[in-house]
Amino acid sequence: MTSHETVLIVDFGSQFTQLLARRVRALAVFCEITTPKDALAEARAKGAKAIILSGGPSSVYDPGAPSVERDILQIGIPVLGVCYGMQFIFKELGGTVAPSNEREYGRAEMRVRGGAGAAGALLEGVAPVSTVWMSHGDKCEKLPAGFKALAQSDSCPFAAAADVKRKIYTVQFHPEVTHTAEGQKILRNFLFRIAGFSGDYTVPDFVESSVAAIRERVGDGAVVMGLSGGVDSSVAAVLIHRAIGRRLHCVFVDNGLLRLGEREQVEKTFAGAFEVDLHTVDASAGFLNKLKGVVDPERKRKIIGGEFIEVFAEAARKFKDARFLGQGTLYPDVIESVSVFGGPTAKIKSHHNVGGLPADLKFELIEPLRMCFKDEVRAIGRAIGLPAEIIERQPFPGPGLAVRCPGVVTAERLDLLRRADAIVTNEIEASGLHRDLWQYFAVLLPVQSVGVMGDGRTYEAVCSLRVVRSDDGMTADWAQLPHALLGKIASRIVNEVRGINRVLLDITSKPPGTIEWE
Ligand code: XMP
């Protein structure tokens, strides 16, 4: 494994610490996040080329407020203190930090001292006046000896300040959030101009180091993993497979609630192209049996979740050599980051996870994507050669088509839904419009309507199109597709799927609607 120039991010507990890491990675610089307690030792052990002290919710005056050993400011490595990180530096080096009961939260105007260019390397190229994002309580009021103000805002005399000689830089705002207009430029200046990074850490480097780390951790052991065919578990599986080959045992549960051709695609990609040890369990009869007559959405979800755990556990038990469980957990799934006061604590998705596994099945988790965001996972997926159909796949809920089939879930209804859904997918992808869409699918309603076909009267099912734009699934707008495309989808469904004679368009945004119907 090649070693990379490293920036160490010391996590003082800010909700933005991972975002900071992501911005650093976007500049092709390798970073690691560490706790304040381990910071100095890690900086030395890893030969860090720069240190970033993150923001955090505490006041530097709180009893037990997180701190790092002062030596970290004296070993000559460039340091950037962000928000709490800045206040910590001011307090340690003899400046003044005024306690405050009020938080300043939101956009502020930053004015660079003496106009552009005069503020030195950190703010080089930054507009004389620009928007920054503030979120702080205490405020830095008097500079430590050797420091110079670089910029100010209405409320902060030192929006940015530095001791250039000691290479210690501080900003009161958050350069990592997108509301800070010049944030990425400031991070770039710090890393490239001040700390001298070369910016050569690429996605293939991430793949290489994560494969090496998995190999080292698993040793000659084995890993079992549930594969859903979604992008996260797929990318995680390929990384683990690269590390340990066929000592990775993947289990794919066909719950009978999958989309058209989904199982075949997973088999073709993983067992075929990647030669992964893939075990498909056809459990559809069991799932459908348990769902018989069930209409309540929450009961459906519970039944499906419970059955999944049972089927997966039974399959996993067969791999007696497996001590590890692979998971495609991403950072947004990790509710709490590395905690300031303790070790890493994490909650993981409640579906497809280890949480509900029976007590006799004890695994250690392998989560190669724990630090990653979705767009990074897609880039990794591309680098390791996963096909576009998997990398660009829309999110698909764990309970599958059952939550797109209000009313009872039967093999016949699922078949109708599956065929209508395939037409929606085909047409929207053929139009190219899917690149701007979050999800596009069909929902089969528990309603029959009258129609005419040829000379005859029909009395058949109704389906709805659900097409939304979204950034993260938390909120969504219904997508305004061209009428010609909508018309084509509707006429294809009614003509090609016998059993559906009417197509509706769902024009509800989230909130108040949810994206899925159940
Ligand atoms: P809702 O319907 O709550 O969905 O607006 C938001 C996003 O989450 C997806 N979703 C799920 N994903 N397991 C998942 O992995 C689930 O049980 C689940 N339920 C909803 C949904 O497709 C949308 O992208």
Side-chain angles (χ1 to χ4, degrees):
M1 187 175 134
T2 46
S3 66
H4 294 279
E5 300 173 332
T6 302
V7 53
L8 201 61
I9 299 180
V10 182
D11 183 13
F12 280 135
S14 164
Q15 55 172 324
F16 299 132
T17 302
Q18 286 293 339
L19 201 52
L20 203 46
R22 170 199 184 129
R23 301 281 178 245
V24 169
R25 290 196 294 262
L27 293 168
V29 169
F30 178 71
C31 70
E32 286 196 24
I33 297 177
T34 185
T35 60
K37 183 168 61 65
D38 299 327
L40 183 60
E42 294 237 344
R44 290 194 164 125
K46 304 228 154 90
K49 208 172 156 86
I51 289 163
I52 301 179
L53 304 180
S54 85
S58 310
S59 157
V60 286
Y61 295 108
D62 287 345
S67 70
V68 290
E69 288 163 81
R70 186 183 293 178
D71 277 2
I72 215 158
L73 304 175
Q74 288 163 355
I75 50 182
I77 307 173
V79 176
L80 175 65
V82 173
C83 197
Y84 178 89
M86 172 182 200
Q87 293 150 6
F88 172 79
I89 290 171
F90 266 53
K91 180 165 167 274
E92 282 298 305
L93 299 183
T96 313
V97 182
S100 158
N101 293 324
E102 279 170 40
R103 281 193 88 75
E104 181 188 5
Y105 185 81
R107 289 182 173 80
E109 200 171 76
M110 173 173 81
R111 293 179 298 279
V112 175
R113 279 274 178 122
L122 188 70
L123 300 184
E124 193 149 320
V126 170
V129 178
S130 68
T131 302
V132 296
W133 181 261
M134 296 282 192
S135 173
H136 63 98
D138 298 349
K139 201 189 294 179
C140 293
E141 280 199 344
K142 188 177 140 268
L143 293 169
F147 272 68
K148 255 199 180 140
L150 304 181
Q152 64 197 59
S153 71
D154 283 346
S155 67
C156 294
F158 312 117
D163 180 339
V164 176
K165 229 192 204 145
R166 281 192 282 178
K167 299 187 210 151
I168 300 176
Y169 292 79
T170 60
V171 291
Q172 185 56 76
F173 54 90
H174 287 272
E176 67 275 24
V177 307
T178 50
H179 307 301
T180 296
E182 305 256 40
Q184 199 66 350
K185 197 179 279 168
I186 294 168
L187 287 176
R188 180 181 290 134
N189 284 343
F190 175 70
L191 293 170
F192 296 166
R193 289 179 189 278
I194 295 165
F197 279 89
S198 45
D200 60 357
Y201 182 71
T202 58
V203 173
D205 294 326
F206 174 91
V207 171
E208 191 191 326
S209 45
S210 102
V211 165
I214 297 166
R215 201 173 278 146
E216 189 181 324
R217 174 129 185 256
V218 176
D220 55 8
V223 180
V224 63
M225 171 159 189
L227 201 59
S228 70
V231 56
D232 309 343
S233 68
S234 297
V235 171
V238 174
L239 288 175
I240 300 172
H241 180 255
R242 273 214 186 167
I244 61 167
R246 290 180 73 87
R247 280 181 290 124
L248 167 68
H249 312 298
C250 285
V251 176
F252 177 66
V253 176
D254 181 351
N255 58 9
L257 305 166
L258 305 172
R259 287 163 294 182
L260 198 68
E262 199 164 349
R263 169 172 166 177
E264 293 71 18
Q265 193 207 16
V266 167
E267 289 177 336
K268 192 177 98 197
T269 305
F270 290 94
F274 282 92
E275 299 183 2
V276 166
D277 180 40
L278 177 70
H279 301 257
T280 302
V281 184
D282 187 344
S284 42
F287 276 86
L288 285 189
N289 197 31
K290 291 229 159 112
L291 286 169
K292 203 175 263 171
V294 177
V295 171
D296 179 68
E298 273 311 298
R299 269 197 70 209
K300 281 184 187 172
R301 282 177 173 271
K302 286 225 166 71
I303 289 169
I304 294 163
E307 185 71 4
F308 175 83
I309 295 281
E310 265 182 42
V311 172
F312 180 76
E314 193 189 322
R317 242 181 228 115
K318 294 193 183 126
F319 305 109
K320 301 242 180 297
D321 58 338
R323 186 157 63 85
F324 298 94
L325 183 78
Q327 282 203 314
T329 318
L330 305 196
Y331 180 68
D333 307 325
V334 178
I335 313 265
E336 288 181 72
S337 163
V338 181
S339 128
V340 180
F341 302 105
T345 43
K347 279 195 181 150
I348 39 182
K349 279 187 191 176
S350 61
H351 63 284
H352 289 194
N353 75 9
V354 66
L357 284 180
D360 68 301
L361 272 178
K362 287 206 172 60
F363 291 113
E364 287 174 45
L365 288 180
I366 298 271
E367 299 174 306
L369 305 173
R370 243 180 147 265
M371 293 297 169
C372 299
F373 288 77
K374 197 83 173 188
D375 53 340
E376 296 178 307
V377 173
R378 294 212 165 97
I380 296 164
R382 272 179 222 110
I384 55 183
L386 273 168
E389 307 97 77
I390 288 189
I391 292 167
E392 279 152 31
R393 231 174 75 128
Q394 352 171 20
F396 187 61
L401 296 182
V403 292
R404 295 178 180 175
C405 197
V408 290
V409 181
T410 62
E412 296 71 34
R413 295 195 74 216
L414 288 170
D415 177 58
L416 287 185
L417 174 56
R418 208 169 267 134
R419 287 190 290 140
D421 186 65
I423 292 172
V424 176
T425 308
N426 282 345
E427 288 298 333
I428 290 184
E429 290 179 0
S431 76
L433 295 173
H434 63 292
R435 290 187 194 94
D436 292 326
L437 298 172
W438 175 260
Q439 274 171 305
Y440 37 100
F441 55 85
V443 178
L444 188 74
L445 308 190
V447 171
Q448 307 255 118
S449 86
V450 172
V452 284
M453 198 157 213
D455 294 331
R457 174 186 182 277
T458 59
Y459 187 55
E460 292 177 344
V462 178
C463 86
S464 173
L465 309 182
R466 183 65 168 146
V467 188
V468 295
R469 291 181 212 284
S470 174
D471 289 325
D472 52 13
M474 304 297 284
T475 60
D477 288 322
W478 66 276
Q480 309 208 14
L481 296 184
H483 289 175
L485 175 61
L486 291 171
K488 187 164 182 210
I489 292 171
S491 86
R492 273 197 62 194
I493 291 176
V494 171
N495 283 310
E496 294 173 31
V497 185
R498 286 315 307 271
I500 296 181
N501 69 356
R502 196 176 291 264
V503 178
L504 311 181
L505 176 63
D506 180 352
I507 55 168
T508 320
S509 289
K510 172 183 179 176
T514 51
I515 296 175
E516 303 292 345
W517 271 48
E518 295 193 327

